[in-house]
Amino acid sequence: MYSFPWMWSGTSILWFVIFIAITSGLFLLADWARKNNITTKWSDWVIGLIGLLILVFTAQNITGSLAEEEPVAAQWFVAVLGIPGLLVIAFAMANVWRRYRITKLGSSKGKKV
């Protein structure tokens, strides 16, 4: 059986484990939300996944920059991509939380929620 020599390097195994952890975490999050009657819209998932992809891209660039011994570039990746990625995920979480509070407390007309 033919195998590529770079197929199972330490870095590829690391990213495979990260992918498995993210995937199982998303399935557990969806299951938990369903069990607790938390309604989500498809746009919440899309916004959250975009933020997650930005964070994964940031992590990949950080590891690459540190492997090339460029710590300043890694710090810039955190500032330019990491923080906005966290903000995008926080925005998706805030949308879900706001919708959950409104449905939990009833209509928000005339009430402070």
Side-chain angles (χ1 to χ4, degrees), residues 84-100:
L86 289 175
L87 290 175
V88 169
I89 291 174
F91 177 73
M93 290 172 53
N95 280 342
V96 173
W97 178 249
R98 181 187 51 83
R99 196 175 309 110
Y100 175 71

Side-chain angles (χ1 to χ4, degrees), residues 20-52 88-94 96-97 100:
I20 294 297
I22 288 173
T23 305
S24 53
L26 286 175
F27 278 116
L28 289 173
L29 178 67
D31 188 48
W32 176 81
R34 186 181 50 83
K35 285 181 182 177
N36 290 324
N37 294 326
I38 298 174
T39 58
T40 58
K41 292 186 177 180
W42 66 270
S43 59
D44 300 327
W45 288 103
V46 170
I47 293 169
L49 286 175
I50 288 171
L52 187 62
V88 169
I89 291 174
F91 177 73
M93 290 172 53
V96 173
W97 178 249
Y100 175 71

Side-chain angles (χ1 to χ4, degrees), residues 16 72 85:
F16 180 73
V72 176

Side-chain angles (χ1 to χ4, degrees), residues 59-80:
Q60 189 274 331
N61 282 313
I62 289 170
T63 56
S65 295
L66 292 177
E68 293 176 359
E69 298 178 4
E70 294 288 343
V72 176
Q75 293 169 359
W76 275 103
F77 276 119
V78 170
V80 172

